[in-house]
Amino acid sequence: MKKFLAILFVLAVCVTGVFAADTEFPTGTWIDENWDAKWVFAKDKVELFDGKGDLVYTFTKDNTVDFKLTPSKEGLILSFSCAETERAYKFIKPITLSTDLEMEIDPEWTDKDYKVTIKFSKLNF
């Protein structure tokens, strides 16, 4: 039983360390099951892939505005707007041990926003 608790503790520390809300947004791959889309977060870009694995769009500081990382009481928030896709994006890593992200997309042409929890898939190194 002691070994199990020790392993559980080490796992919790590792997960917390990977998703620490200090100055960097978590890197890795998350899946939007509603649209069969894969969101890949790296240090300098966010990539969106479709279910077939084809690249849909690459978001960088060069093709977005207001690309910012903000700590808040909700958690760590990555937000930006993209003129080409005509949408504003917000990704929230809540202050929990969960590896999921909250995603909000605000299209410019409608008042109806898209909000969903995207599920963690894998770490990217």
Side-chain angles (χ1 to χ4, degrees):
M1 184 68 170
K2 289 182 182 179
K3 286 182 183 179
F4 174 74
L5 290 175
I7 291 171
L8 191 60
F9 175 74
V10 169
L11 180 62
V13 169
C14 290
V15 169
T16 303
V18 169
F19 296 104
D22 50 21
T23 59
E24 292 186 9
F25 200 75
T27 58
T29 302
W30 280 261
I31 305 296
D32 178 354
E33 295 173 348
N34 293 340
W35 288 94
D36 196 22
K38 180 169 56 171
W39 290 88
V40 180
F41 295 84
K43 290 187 182 237
D44 59 347
K45 64 184 174 183
V46 177
E47 294 177 312
L48 173 61
F49 293 86
D50 65 17
K52 297 176 187 173
D54 296 328
L55 180 65
V56 175
Y57 201 84
T58 301
F59 301 94
T60 65
K61 290 183 179 180
D62 294 332
N63 63 9
T64 61
V65 293
D66 300 327
F67 199 99
K68 59 187 170 186
L69 192 58
T70 310
S72 77
K73 65 180 181 180
E74 295 176 78
L76 191 59
I77 300 172
L78 173 66
S79 60
F80 55 89
S81 296
C82 179
E84 190 172 336
T85 62
E86 300 179 329
R87 293 170 177 87
Y89 300 85
K90 183 162 114 177
F91 300 90
I92 303 167
K93 171 54 188 105
I95 305 173
T96 66
L97 289 179
S98 172
T99 56
D100 298 340
L101 299 177
E102 300 297 323
M103 179 175 69
E104 299 177 16
I105 300 175
D106 179 8
E108 292 177 5
W109 63 89
T110 181
D111 289 335
K112 188 172 181 179
D113 295 348
Y114 178 67
K115 295 180 182 182
V116 68
T117 299
I118 53 178
K119 303 292 182 184
F120 177 71
S121 176
K122 67 178 185 174
L123 284 176
N124 299 343
F125 296 101

